[in-house]
Amino acid sequence: MLAPLEGYTDSVLRTLCFRHGADMTFTEIAHVESFLRGNRQALEKIAVRDSTPVQIQLLTGKEEHLESFLGGFEPFPGFEGFNLNLSCPSPDVIRQGKGAAMIKRTAKTGRLVSIIHAHGHKASLKIRLGTNAYEKAQKVYLNILGGVDANLFIIHAKTASQGSVEENDYSVYPECVDAARGIPVIANGGIDSADKVRQLRGMGVAGVMIGRAALTNPAIFDVLRNELGLNEAVKPVPSITALEAEYDTLHESLEGGEGYARDFHRVLGKRIGKENY
Ligand SMILES: Cc1cc2nc3c(=O)[nH]c(=O)nc-3n(C[C@H](O)[C@H](O)[C@H](O)COP(=O)(O)O)c2cc1C
């Protein structure tokens, strides 16, 4: 899966990664309340012009807002459900009781998932291991995995207070898989090699989500699939230059935004980081 990356994962990059091996993609973080206010920038994030499989990522803490938004939502080709963001580390978002602050709110999260299901859509959760080391030590994440009937759990193996240079803690995955009661668990955080995927699959995770490594090579999905023998036959992987040209063609046909294209070309082939990821 291609991770949601604010400022990067518009329709164009999602489609490029899908063509090169990603099974699922996600729209960027957006507040449900921004959609309800008709905020153009937020609505543009979910204005999908392709049929690439995608889940719409939502940031919300209020049942009534989610209900109103879903009442006016029309599915489109490629739509695969909603993803609730329980992982955003922004102090502003946490202060509002959203993002990573929701990890310890099992009952509320369960109600949000039920609302999505009642509207006939799938619901996945993207969580961290807590907002800080204390919550991680209390294993707050296991309550969500054991108590919410989502269709899929994506677990970024860090707390919200850990910066980009700190290591992800993959050792949590076996207990997460156990707690999830058969609901698939997807691992996320620093995954960029077939060896890491092998290690994680050995712990029982159903798949992996890749973020920054896809910005430096959007075909990383096929690179890893080839190495892991997951493609029926080895699939040719284009050069970075060929991927740039493919992006530009898609950018034109899907009417991508200029800022996205500029940032895509700026980071392609380079290492990128962002504080707190
Ligand atoms: C530039 C940037 C933007 C991000 N935007 C989002 C977002 O909109 N929603 C979200 O759930 N996570 C977001 N993340 C977190 C990623 O989805 C992912 O969980 C994180 O980068 C760890 O995966 P990685 O090590 O493979 O990049 C963002 C991360 C980065 C670096």
Side-chain angles (χ1 to χ4, degrees), residues 3-6 29 57 85 126 156 188-190 211-212 274 277:
L5 298 168
E6 191 177 27
I29 191 168
Q57 186 177 73
N85 178 312
K126 183 164 182 277
H156 181 185
N188 170 242
R212 287 165 298 173
K274 185 178 172 187
Y277 290 102

Side-chain angles (χ1 to χ4, degrees), residues 21 27 143 207 216 239:
T27 58
N143 298 335
T216 54
S239 66

Side-chain angles (χ1 to χ4, degrees), residues 189-209:
I191 301 167
D192 56 4
S193 70
D195 277 346
K196 286 189 188 170
V197 180
R198 272 189 212 100
Q199 178 196 355
L200 292 162
R201 289 174 96 201
M203 295 178 174
V205 306
V208 300
M209 171 183 265

Side-chain angles (χ1 to χ4, degrees), residues 36-177:
L36 292 176
R37 281 198 304 272
N39 178 297
R40 273 188 36 204
Q41 213 185 343
L43 288 168
E44 187 53 31
K45 292 181 182 176
I46 56 166
V48 176
R49 302 181 187 88
D50 56 72
S51 56
T52 295
V54 68
Q55 289 207 341
I56 293 185
Q57 186 177 73
L58 301 174
L59 192 60
T60 190
K62 292 228 161 57
E63 292 87 328
E64 59 277 23
H65 292 171
L66 180 63
E67 186 69 66
S68 316
F69 167 68
L70 293 177
F73 175 78
E74 288 292 334
F76 47 82
F79 170 73
E80 292 280 346
F82 290 99
N83 173 258
L84 293 179
N85 178 312
L86 277 69
S87 59
C88 179
S90 150
D92 273 354
V93 168
I94 291 176
R95 256 194 304 278
Q96 294 169 38
K98 299 181 192 171
M102 289 285 291
I103 299 165
K104 51 185 182 294
R105 306 182 77 182
T106 303
K108 186 180 258 297
T109 303
R111 289 196 295 275
L112 294 170
V113 166
S114 300
I115 292 172
I116 295 174
H117 284 162
H119 282 265
H121 308 303
K122 285 188 210 149
S124 67
L125 304 183
K126 183 164 182 277
I127 73 169
R128 290 193 182 230
L129 303 178
T131 51
N132 52 38
Y134 175 77
E135 287 183 13
K136 182 184 170 197
Q138 299 293 308
K139 298 186 187 282
V140 288
Y141 48 95
L142 295 183
N143 298 335
I144 285 269
L145 301 174
V148 177
D149 288 330
N151 302 91
L152 185 78
F153 296 117
I154 300 154
I155 307 172
H156 181 185
K158 272 188 183 176
T159 68
S161 56
Q162 286 184 292
S164 59
V165 288
E166 289 180 64
E167 286 293 309
N168 288 278
D169 182 1
Y170 296 158
S171 73
V172 297
Y173 285 117
E175 65 181 359
C176 288
V177 170

